[in-house]
Protein backbone atom coordinates (compact mmCIF):
# COMPACT_ATOMS: atom_id res chain seq x y z
CA UNK A 1 0.00 0.00 0.00
CA UNK A 2 1.42 3.33 -1.06
CA UNK A 3 0.18 6.36 0.87
CA UNK A 4 -1.95 8.67 -1.30
CA UNK A 5 -1.74 6.33 -4.33
CA UNK A 6 -3.61 3.14 -3.42
CA UNK A 7 -4.49 3.28 0.27
CA UNK A 8 -8.18 4.15 -0.13
CA UNK A 9 -10.29 1.91 2.13
CA UNK A 10 -13.23 1.93 -0.31
CA UNK A 11 -10.91 0.36 -2.89
CA UNK A 12 -9.72 -2.18 -0.33
CA UNK A 13 -13.33 -3.15 0.45
CA UNK A 14 -14.17 -3.53 -3.25
CA UNK A 15 -11.06 -5.64 -3.85
CA UNK A 16 -11.79 -7.88 -0.86
CA UNK A 17 -15.43 -8.43 -1.87
CA UNK A 18 -14.40 -9.21 -5.44
CA UNK A 19 -11.77 -11.69 -4.23
CA UNK A 20 -14.28 -13.37 -1.91
CA UNK A 21 -16.93 -13.65 -4.62
CA UNK A 22 -14.72 -14.55 -7.58
CA UNK A 23 -11.77 -16.40 -6.03
CA UNK A 24 -13.12 -17.67 -2.71
CA UNK A 25 -12.76 -16.69 0.94
CA UNK A 26 -9.61 -18.80 1.38
CA UNK A 27 -7.62 -16.84 -1.23
CA UNK A 28 -4.71 -15.10 0.53
CA UNK A 29 -4.39 -11.33 0.35
CA UNK A 30 -1.17 -9.53 1.32
CA UNK A 31 -0.91 -5.84 2.19
CA UNK A 32 2.73 -4.78 2.03
CA UNK A 33 4.21 -1.74 3.67
CA UNK A 34 5.69 0.71 1.19
CA UNK A 35 9.19 1.89 2.05
CA UNK A 36 10.42 4.94 0.11
CA UNK A 37 13.39 4.18 -2.13
CA UNK A 38 14.91 5.12 -5.44
CA UNK A 39 12.48 7.31 -7.43
CA UNK A 40 9.65 7.42 -4.89
CA UNK A 41 11.56 8.85 -1.94
CA UNK A 42 9.19 11.80 -1.64
CA UNK A 43 6.38 9.63 -0.28
CA UNK A 44 6.25 8.49 3.35
CA UNK A 45 6.31 4.85 4.44
CA UNK A 46 2.90 3.25 4.80
CA UNK A 47 1.63 3.82 8.35
CA UNK A 48 1.03 0.69 10.38
CA UNK A 49 -2.52 1.90 11.10
CA UNK A 50 -3.35 1.91 7.37
CA UNK A 51 -2.19 -1.68 6.97
CA UNK A 52 -4.09 -2.82 10.06
CA UNK A 53 -7.26 -1.07 8.88
CA UNK A 54 -6.95 -2.60 5.39
CA UNK A 55 -6.57 -6.04 6.95
CA UNK A 56 -9.66 -5.49 9.10
CA UNK A 57 -11.67 -4.33 6.08
CA UNK A 58 -10.66 -7.41 4.10
CA UNK A 59 -11.44 -9.76 6.97
CA UNK A 60 -14.80 -8.04 7.53
CA UNK A 61 -15.53 -8.65 3.84
CA UNK A 62 -15.10 -12.37 4.50
CA UNK A 63 -11.50 -13.17 3.51
CA UNK A 64 -9.89 -15.68 5.87
CA UNK A 65 -6.18 -15.23 5.13
CA UNK A 66 -5.17 -11.57 5.11
CA UNK A 67 -1.55 -10.72 5.82
CA UNK A 68 0.58 -7.66 6.48
CA UNK A 69 4.13 -7.67 5.13
CA UNK A 70 7.24 -5.51 5.46
CA UNK A 71 6.28 -4.65 9.03
CA UNK A 72 8.75 -6.64 11.11
CA UNK A 73 7.29 -8.61 13.99
CA UNK A 74 3.61 -7.87 13.35
CA UNK A 75 1.29 -10.77 14.20
CA UNK A 76 -0.43 -10.47 10.79
CA UNK A 77 2.70 -11.85 9.15
CA UNK A 78 1.69 -15.26 10.54
CA UNK A 79 -1.06 -17.66 9.55
CA UNK A 80 -3.92 -18.31 11.99
CA UNK A 81 -6.71 -20.87 11.73
CA UNK A 82 -9.85 -19.04 10.51
CA UNK A 83 -12.06 -21.25 12.73
CA UNK A 84 -10.39 -20.99 16.13
CA UNK A 85 -7.56 -18.46 15.74
CA UNK A 86 -4.77 -20.95 16.50
CA UNK A 87 -1.32 -19.96 15.21
CA UNK A 88 -0.39 -22.43 12.51
Amino acid sequence: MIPSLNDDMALVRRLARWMRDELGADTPLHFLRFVPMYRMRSLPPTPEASLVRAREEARDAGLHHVYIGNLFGHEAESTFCPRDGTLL
Side-chain angles (χ1 to χ4, degrees):
M1 296 187 75
I2 302 174
S4 75
L5 294 181
N6 65 357
D7 60 347
D8 178 45
M9 289 305 134
L11 179 63
V12 168
R13 284 189 294 276
R14 277 192 6 233
L15 170 66
R17 285 193 301 262
W18 180 86
M19 288 182 66
R20 179 199 64 211
D21 295 343
E22 300 297 326
L23 304 174
D26 288 324
T27 303
L29 175 59
H30 298 259
F31 292 107
L32 300 178
R33 183 179 197 202
F34 169 76
V35 179
M37 284 194 247
Y38 191 49
R39 293 187 178 181
M40 296 184 76
R41 286 184 279 182
S42 63
L43 295 172
T46 309
E48 179 178 352
S50 296
L51 295 166
V52 169
R53 182 156 179 233
R55 181 175 187 249
E56 290 170 356
E57 293 286 349
R59 292 183 67 173
D60 288 348
L63 294 180
H64 298 156
H65 304 287
V66 184
Y67 301 96
I68 292 175
N70 295 343
L71 194 61
F72 180 73
H74 196 280
E75 73 170 12
E77 290 181 320
S78 301
T79 301
F80 294 88
C81 177
R83 287 184 298 278
D84 65 12
T86 303
L87 178 64
L88 302 176

